[in-house]
Amino acid sequence: MRDAEFFRSWMTAAAAAVEREADRLTELDSPIGDADHGSNLLRGFTAVRTALEAEPPAAPGAVLQLAGRTLISTVGGASGPLYGMLLRRTGKELGEAPEVSDAELAAALDKGVGAVAQLGGAAAGDKTMLDALLPGVAALGTSYRAAADAAENGALATVPMQARKGRASYLGERSIGHQDPGATSSALLLGALADVAEREAAERTEDGR
Ligand code: ADP
Ligand code: MG
């Protein structure tokens, strides 16, 4: 079972990954966007970390809902409301339970990704964050690492796609040949989840628990 601390660690790890990769995310957003994806998410996840430290929620669902609300209020770009929706909806699905199972988290994330698709009107193959989130969440049944790898492969697979949603779609065929920044950051988010799950498993082994 996963408690609120696990979810806070996930968000902290996501913030660290965004910090590490912010320049790269912004570079990816240069040829097919407005070169702000890294700075958008850096601002957002820094605020998430601060909000979670200021008033650490006691339930997994509340952690994700606070993170989602914070992203919506601090990220101006398209990605803010979309990631905000992902985390808020996932958190809402988890409800107020103090601990949730991996299967409950997988089901909740599935709903969260569905809400992103509905809000943004995008589908698989449109060269958006969904091209990492959909395969990533589909692989959660295998393991967190499998989900992270599937999301990473999904992000790589956006290179030959033509964007049909968001700013990149204004470029038409010229959007082909570039990796989508949002799909790349989504892979970071699921990579952070896998890292935290593996760290916790290693600690458990060390403790002989
Ligand atoms: P903006 O495009 O407003 O500058 P960002 O640069 O922060 O916002 O985020 C861009 C990313 O948002 C894209 O790479 C894409 O993955 C994602 N995105 C944009 N529009 C949509 C949409 N309608 N549905 C899903 N994802 C989208
Ligand atoms: Mg942008």
Side-chain angles (χ1 to χ4, degrees):
M1 296 295 276
R2 310 290 183 182
D3 60 8
E5 196 194 334
F6 176 86
F7 283 81
R8 289 198 300 269
S9 299
W10 175 20
M11 290 298 107
T12 305
V18 162
E19 204 170 314
R20 200 177 61 231
E21 299 289 328
D23 289 349
R24 179 162 161 262
L25 294 174
T26 286
E27 262 166 46
L28 290 173
D29 196 32
S30 301
I32 58 167
D34 54 354
D36 66 355
H37 191 56
S39 48
N40 279 344
L41 291 190
L42 184 59
R43 184 169 60 251
F45 275 94
T46 301
V48 165
R49 188 155 46 186
T50 306
L52 291 176
E53 277 167 14
E55 237 172 293
V63 171
L64 295 188
Q65 289 188 65
L66 175 57
R69 282 201 308 274
T70 305
L71 288 179
I72 290 169
S73 63
T74 54
V75 180
S79 61
L82 292 164
Y83 276 127
M85 173 61 87
L86 173 69
L87 297 180
R88 274 180 58 203
R89 182 60 200 271
T90 303
K92 209 173 151 200
E93 286 296 318
L94 294 177
E96 291 170 13
E99 293 192 329
V100 299
S101 69
D102 289 334
E104 284 166 339
L105 175 55
L109 274 170
D110 191 58
K111 296 275 195 220
V113 172
V116 171
Q118 202 180 3
L119 176 64
D126 286 348
K127 198 182 182 97
T128 70
M129 59 174 69
L130 286 172
D131 290 307
L133 291 173
L134 287 167
V137 167
L140 276 173
T142 307
S143 70
Y144 287 116
R145 185 52 62 192
D149 290 346
E152 178 71 40
N153 288 331
L156 293 172
T158 62
V159 174
M161 293 176 185
Q162 178 174 334
R164 285 193 287 256
K165 290 287 168 191
R167 225 175 255 284
S169 67
Y170 309 158
L171 292 175
E173 284 182 8
R174 280 180 297 138
S175 64
I176 294 171
H178 304 280
Q179 186 169 322
D180 181 62
T184 309
S185 57
S186 287
L188 292 180
L189 192 64
L190 291 179
L193 178 59
D195 289 346
V196 169
E198 284 168 4
R199 203 194 305 152
E200 185 160 284
E203 282 165 9
R204 219 177 291 143
T205 312
E206 256 173 48
D207 294 355
R209 275 189 278 157

